[in-house]
């Protein structure tokens, strides 16, 4: 009996209606065949939904379709358009992720040369925890009109590079479309700044407009690999000799997926990309998680020296996201032992972007930029090497304030990826990994990437760079300084509670020059990590020290005065 009542249940009503409608339409078509032209539409309409409903009812994969035939397709439709609905109708200017609407808007406006000012006052709650600001001066300086530059290249570098303080971060051809790469490089040429190739290598699209190139070399060694995937020195030397390539960069890890290796989904591996990279066509391109050219910090230093030599003396350095602190310190010890130092280090934060990565890696692996940057900066100071090595920073940098903050924490220049993607036309649809980017920025579909008009987007890239560096200069001048190099952590304040503020100097402690070499290290965490590091291996020396290290990093990150204030407040509340 219950089986007969099933079609009358509300969740089956659409299917029941479709079947009844189809049956009536079929009967009328049989009875009055001369009126078929009138009955064809309802016959096809009800027939289609009857077929869909019956398929839903008996298919084994989706439980919700079996219980709600036809109706449940609305769920899949709403789920598909949810990001767009949220972005266009429900998202506040400050709460969009990864980038809120106001950050995206400032890029679009500066790229288009539109008005980038705001009316009526800040929309931030300035008394909320984590609000940050820069101290201004009563006697501001004149805004510098010349572009801010940093010279990269140490004593062993015969072709140093005078880089802009704002450059295009690593994004590979493959992750980006050909027209996006063309637009970025032409914009870099117009604006006089550098374009990092990403680990996908130097391609004809990077070469087309002649913008300055930073060639990134990942564990896949794309563009200079042997048939077995190992590093090919002769091929590297041949490519690196190109005058367009200004620096060579060894990629150890990426902030969004450290320890994983690069990922280019099969949907984006075209025959051309397979040929350029030397990989199978139509298969996922996954770089090894670690390099085969070296296995110890000392070997890594010799490899960087070899990269510098093979490139003809161009600046050679490496990029990483900080993980185990003793591993970076092991690299620093290898620098001291071998006497080989990189010309630069790029610190990538876990908040950095990617075209494709596992969720766990994006959300919970790697050190955030400010923490990693301060750690690298402090370690190099403590080892007496900071004046020999320049530091770049990348990870969710968009505005002049973002640049000023990381430069105060130790960066010499900034790399930006997604900001320049916005300038090219990205709308944060987050379809990068599917090959179906709606604006063609990350798609290898030629019918999609034609939407990126190089002559227009390259101008926007140059505009965004110019206006952002201009905004940085205005902030620096307002603080009473002449160059970004004068910024320091004590210029920046952060509210840590409704009634408490601290400087970034309080939050991010830095060692004294040569402190790591003196044997008397004030920071317990740094002391333990330094004692665990060894130049001959990335592995820690002592497991017991590792446990002490883990315990030391559990300590609260409060300045001494703030800790006393919190303790006193707690005492008063209990008395």
């Amino acid at each position: 009996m219950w089986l007969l009542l099933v079609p009358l249940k509300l969740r089956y009503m659409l299917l029941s209606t479709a079947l009844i409608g189809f049956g009536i339409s079929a009967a009328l078509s049989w009875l009055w065949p001369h009126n078929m032209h009138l009955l064809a539409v309802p016959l096809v309409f009800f027939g289609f939904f009857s077929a869909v409903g019956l398929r839903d009812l008996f298919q084994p994969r989706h439980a919700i379709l079996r219980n709600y035939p036809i109706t449940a397709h609305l769920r899949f439709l709403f789920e598909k358009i949810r990001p767009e609905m949220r972005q266009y109708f429900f998202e506040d200017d400050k709460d969009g992720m990864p980038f809120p609407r106001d950050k995206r808007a400032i890029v679009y406006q500066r790229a288009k040369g539109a008005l980038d000012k705001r009316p009526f006052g800040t929309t931030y709650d300035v008394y909320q925890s984590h609000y940050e600001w820069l101290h201004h001066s009563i006697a501001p300086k004149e805004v510098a009109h010349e572009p801010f530059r940093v010279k990269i290249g140490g004593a062993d570098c015969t072709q140093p590079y005078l880089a802009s303080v704002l450059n295009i971060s690593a994004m590979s051809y493959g992750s980006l479309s050909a027209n996006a790469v063309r637009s970025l490089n032409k914009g870099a040429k117009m604006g006089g700044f550098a374009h990092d190739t990403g680990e996908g290598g130097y391609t004809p699209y990077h070469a087309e407009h002649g913008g300055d190139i930073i060639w990134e070399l990942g564990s896949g060694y794309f563009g200079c690999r042997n048939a077995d995937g190992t590093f090919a020195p002769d091929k590297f030397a041949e490519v690196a000799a190109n005058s367009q390539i200004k620096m060579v960069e060894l990629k150890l890890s990426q902030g969004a997926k450290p320890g994983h290796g690069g990922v280019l989904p099969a949907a984006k591996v075209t025959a051309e990309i397979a040929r350029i990279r030397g990989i199978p066509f139509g298969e996922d391109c996954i770089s090894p998680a670690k390099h085969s050219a070296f296995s110890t910090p000392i070997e890594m230093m010799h490899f960087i020296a070899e990269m510098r030599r093979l490139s003809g003396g161009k600046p050679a350095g490496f990029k990483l996201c900080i993980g185990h602190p003793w591993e970076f310190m092991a690299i620093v010890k290898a620098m001291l032992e071998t006497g080989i130092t990189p010309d630069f280090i790029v610190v990538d934060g876990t908040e950095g972007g990617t075209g494709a990565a596992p969720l766990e890696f994006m959300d919970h692996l790697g050190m955030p930029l400010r923490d990693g940057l301060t750690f690298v900066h402090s370690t190099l100071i403590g080892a007496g090497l900071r004046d020999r090595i320049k530091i770049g920073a990348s990870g969710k940098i968009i505005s002049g304030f973002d640049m000023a903050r990381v430069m105060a924490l130790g960066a010499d220049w900034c790399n930006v990826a997604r900001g320049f993607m916005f300038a090219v036309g990205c709308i944060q649809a987050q379809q990068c990994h599917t090959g179906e980017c709606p604006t063609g920025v990350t798609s290898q579909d030629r019918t999609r990437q034609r939407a990126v008009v190089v002559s227009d987007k390259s101008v926007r890239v140059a505009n965004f760079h110019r206006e952002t560096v201009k905004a940085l200069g205005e902030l620096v001048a307002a603080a009473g300084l002449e160059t970004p190099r004068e910024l320091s952590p004590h210029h920046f304040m952060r509210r840590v509670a409704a009634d408490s503020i601290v400087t970034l100097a309080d939050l991010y402690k830095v060692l004294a020059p040569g402190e790591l070499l003196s044997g008397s290290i004030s920071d317990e965490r740094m002391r333990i990590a330094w004692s665990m590091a060894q130049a001959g291996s990335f592995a820690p020396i002592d497991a017991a020290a590792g446990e002490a290290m883990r315990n030391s990093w559990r300590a609260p990150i409060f300045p001494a005065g703030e800790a006393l204030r919190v303790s006193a407040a707690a005492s008063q509340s209990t008395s």
Side-chain angles (χ1 to χ4, degrees):
M1 184 66 183
W2 67 270
L3 194 59
L4 297 175
L5 298 176
V6 164
L8 301 179
K9 288 182 178 289
L10 185 61
R11 56 196 170 100
Y12 293 114
M13 285 303 294
L14 281 182
L15 174 58
S16 299
T17 302
L19 290 171
I20 292 169
F22 177 72
I24 292 174
S25 300
L28 292 175
S29 299
W30 182 72
L31 291 172
W32 294 295
H34 56 280
N35 289 325
M36 178 60 73
H37 62 286
L38 298 175
L39 296 170
V41 172
L43 188 66
V44 171
F45 178 82
F46 288 118
F48 172 76
F49 281 103
S50 295
V52 170
L54 289 172
R55 176 187 175 278
D56 292 345
L57 191 64
F58 295 106
Q59 57 80 37
R61 294 187 61 193
H62 300 287
I64 193 169
L65 287 177
R66 288 173 68 90
N67 275 339
Y68 295 87
I70 303 177
T71 313
H73 285 282
L74 291 173
R75 174 188 181 277
F76 295 107
L77 172 64
F78 293 145
E79 190 176 61
K80 184 175 181 62
I81 65 173
R82 178 179 177 274
E84 289 82 2
M85 296 289 287
R86 176 178 172 81
Q87 184 177 121
Y88 295 130
F89 298 107
F90 306 110
E91 178 185 291
D92 185 76
D93 283 348
K94 302 293 186 188
D95 64 5
M97 293 299 285
F99 287 91
R101 178 181 292 273
D102 64 343
K103 288 291 184 74
R104 302 196 305 271
I106 200 70
V107 177
Y108 298 144
Q109 290 160 350
R110 288 175 175 170
K112 295 175 183 178
L115 183 66
D116 64 347
K117 306 301 186 284
R118 299 288 188 273
F120 226 65
T122 183
T123 55
Y124 279 106
D125 180 355
V126 299
Y127 297 102
Q128 189 176 31
S129 294
H130 306 302
Y131 176 73
E132 294 177 336
W133 68 94
L134 169 65
H135 279 319
H136 68 282
S137 172
I138 293 176
K141 300 287 187 179
E142 291 292 325
V143 179
H145 294 291
E146 68 276 4
F148 300 119
R149 294 277 170 178
V150 55
K151 182 180 178 181
I152 305 173
D156 298 323
C157 175
T158 59
Q159 299 187 56
Y161 178 55
L162 198 61
S164 170
V165 294
L166 177 61
N167 300 290
I168 301 171
S169 195
M171 294 181 286
S172 302
Y173 168 57
S175 292
L176 298 184
S177 67
N179 280 358
V181 172
R182 288 185 177 111
S183 300
L184 291 171
N185 194 259
K186 187 176 180 181
K189 177 70 172 179
M190 295 166 65
F193 52 99
H195 179 191
D196 194 313
T197 65
E199 69 172 297
Y202 178 66
T203 71
Y205 304 111
H206 293 96
E208 196 168 313
H209 294 288
D212 290 352
I213 287 292
I214 302 170
W215 182 17
E216 183 178 89
L217 190 67
S219 56
Y221 307 116
F222 301 123
C224 59
R225 61 189 264 144
N226 295 311
D228 60 357
T230 56
F231 177 67
D234 293 342
K235 293 180 181 178
F236 176 84
E238 181 182 353
V239 176
N242 190 311
S243 61
Q244 186 187 3
I245 296 175
K246 304 301 182 183
M247 303 200 299
V248 289
E249 175 184 275
L250 179 68
K251 175 187 173 183
L252 297 182
S253 57
Q254 179 179 345
K257 49 189 174 190
H260 189 274
V263 178
L264 188 65
K268 301 180 73 172
V269 179
T270 64
E272 181 185 36
I273 290 171
R275 176 177 53 80
I276 289 172
R277 296 195 179 192
I279 58 174
F281 165 59
E283 298 180 13
D284 286 347
C285 175
I286 302 177
S287 301
K290 64 179 182 179
H291 282 265
S292 59
F294 57 87
S295 59
T296 69
I298 288 177
E299 290 178 0
M300 176 183 157
M301 287 302 100
H302 285 293
F303 186 74
I304 288 175
E306 184 69 356
M307 288 173 61
R308 186 189 293 125
R309 185 188 69 80
L310 291 170
S311 68
K314 295 176 181 179
F318 63 92
K319 179 180 88 171
L320 83 168
C321 175
I322 295 296
H324 295 307
W326 61 82
E327 292 181 345
F328 178 75
M329 286 183 161
I331 295 173
V332 173
K333 284 190 174 182
M335 296 178 197
L336 295 170
E337 183 170 322
T338 61
I340 301 169
T341 54
D343 297 296
F344 65 91
I345 298 171
V346 175
V347 182
D348 199 16
T350 191
E351 63 268 49
T354 178
L359 181 67
E360 296 86 352
F361 281 71
M362 283 196 295
D363 288 349
H364 302 291
L365 207 62
M367 192 176 288
L369 173 59
R370 293 180 226 172
D371 305 279
L373 171 62
T374 307
F375 172 72
V376 168
H377 177 58
S378 180
T379 301
L380 293 178
I381 290 174
L385 297 172
R386 183 62 180 89
D387 60 341
R388 298 170 60 180
I389 302 170
K390 294 296 190 291
I391 298 178
S394 59
K396 216 168 184 180
I397 297 171
I398 285 286
S399 67
F401 181 80
D402 296 334
M403 292 181 65
R405 181 173 50 201
V406 297
M407 294 181 86
L409 292 174
D412 294 295
W413 85 90
C414 301
N415 288 340
V416 172
R418 288 168 291 181
F420 281 107
M421 287 177 64
F422 292 143
V424 171
C426 169
I427 59 172
Q428 196 169 278
Q430 300 185 63
Q431 296 295 313
C432 313
H433 60 302
T434 66
E436 298 180 356
C437 170
T439 60
V441 175
T442 65
S443 176
Q444 298 308 311
D445 182 339
R446 294 187 182 278
T447 63
R448 289 179 179 270
Q449 63 178 268
R450 66 175 294 276
V452 181
V453 180
V454 177
S455 59
D456 174 64
K457 302 305 182 185
S458 58
V459 174
R460 296 190 183 191
V461 168
N463 287 346
F464 169 62
H465 175 273
R466 183 187 66 252
E467 294 302 313
T468 304
V469 174
K470 177 184 173 183
L472 171 66
E474 291 173 345
L475 284 175
V476 169
L481 309 173
E482 294 183 347
T483 71
R485 290 190 296 274
E486 298 175 67
L487 290 166
S488 67
H490 75 266
H491 287 117
F492 288 80
M493 306 297 296
R494 179 187 293 177
R495 187 176 296 282
V496 294
D499 60 346
S500 178
I501 59 175
V502 297
T503 69
L504 292 192
D506 294 323
L507 292 175
Y508 299 103
K509 302 292 186 181
V510 175
L511 296 175
E515 188 174 340
L516 289 174
L517 307 179
S518 69
S520 178
I521 304 171
S522 57
D523 189 314
E524 182 68 5
R525 293 174 295 186
M526 298 290 275
R527 185 191 67 78
I528 296 172
W530 186 250
S531 69
M532 295 169 64
Q534 54 182 328
S537 174
F538 288 108
I541 291 176
D542 184 2
E547 181 60 31
M549 181 71 193
R550 286 188 288 274
N551 291 333
S552 71
W553 279 74
R554 295 187 185 114
I557 308 177
F558 280 114
E562 175 64 12
L564 290 173
R565 190 196 66 77
V566 173
S567 176
S571 299
Q572 290 176 5
S573 66
T574 56
S575 61

